[in-house]
Amino acid sequence: MKIDVLTLFPAMFAGPLDESIIKRAREAGLLDLAIHNLRDYTRDRHKTVDDRPFGGGPGMLLKPEPIFEAVEKLKREKSRVILLSPAGRPFNQAVARELAQVEDMLLVTGHYEGFDERIRERLADDELSIGDYILTNGALPAMVVVDAVTRLLPGVLGDDDSAKEESFSAGVAGLEYPQYTRPAEFRGMKVPEVLLSGNHAEIAKWRTHQAALRTKERRPDLL
Ligand code: 4G0
């Protein structure tokens, strides 16, 4: 998959997507990620990307010209052009699975109080929000989308992790039970006896029960 990102903060992308699984996916050619600086698509002396809203109101908006220039240059035949904003449709695991099927993505990250509406109207295929909170800019949301989608691309995860992904389709946040590794006792905290028993039927029953308790407590919306 080719993913292009348009941002005012290209340096933010240097660290997080150069580690671990995403790094391997890029090295293996499974993900072709390119970060583009929106300022490179301005044509005025001051490299202006924003302006005040007509009709008044607080803050600044991203002006249309640089974003139109950039998107028209970077967009490919099959690109899905996606704005990141708090007003987008909620991003979740189902959306990540949907996006893992597309050929190319162009993620357009905002800043300030948002985008001139004509960007939405003419350029965007979709608008996503990673959650109900405001961030200083859309770089972190774009990285979240890149990460969540990349790990679903064929060949990116090991076989064990891929199988786990499938078994999680019933609910991403639910169905998580307490897990332990060695040592069996650590600072006086003992691993539940049942997990050491070797009784696989009892272990499965315990895990199902624990996952239900935890989901009821933390995510009743999923039940
Ligand atoms: C557009 C996305 C972009 C509009 C972007 C802010 C949170 C998210 C931005 C605004 C972002 C998210 C209206 C403040 C940049 N913050 N939840 N900040 N407004 O996905």
Side-chain angles (χ1 to χ4, degrees), residues 20 29 35 44-45 53 55 61-62 67 85-86 102 104 108 120 125 127 132 150 152 161 163-165 184 189 197:
S20 171
I35 310 301
D44 66 308
R45 278 198 309 128
L61 297 176
L62 287 176
I67 297 195
S85 97
V102 311
D104 299 307
V108 181
R120 276 196 183 90
D125 299 311
E127 183 166 347
D132 290 339
T150 300
L152 299 180
D161 297 319
K164 190 161 180 183
E165 173 62 34
M189 297 179 283
S197 70

Side-chain angles (χ1 to χ4, degrees), residues 73-149:
K73 188 119 164 204
L74 298 172
K75 188 181 158 74
R76 296 137 163 275
E77 173 113 41
K78 292 184 178 167
S79 294
R80 183 83 67 96
V81 178
I82 301 171
L83 307 185
L84 281 312
S85 97
R89 81 178 164 115
F91 182 70
N92 58 29
Q93 194 65 23
V95 176
R97 285 194 202 100
E98 172 198 325
L99 293 177
Q101 309 293 319
V102 311
E103 203 105 340
D104 299 307
M105 277 197 280
L106 172 51
L107 302 178
V108 181
T109 68
H111 189 206
Y112 313 112
E113 300 309 308
F115 303 91
D116 181 288
E117 187 63 22
R118 291 164 291 193
I119 295 163
R120 276 196 183 90
E121 218 170 276
R122 189 62 61 84
L123 294 181
D125 299 311
D126 205 347
E127 183 166 347
L128 296 176
S129 165
I130 65 159
D132 290 339
Y133 38 81
I134 313 284
L135 300 166
T136 54
N137 68 76
L140 289 168
M143 287 186 249
V144 165
V145 171
V146 169
D147 188 291
V149 171

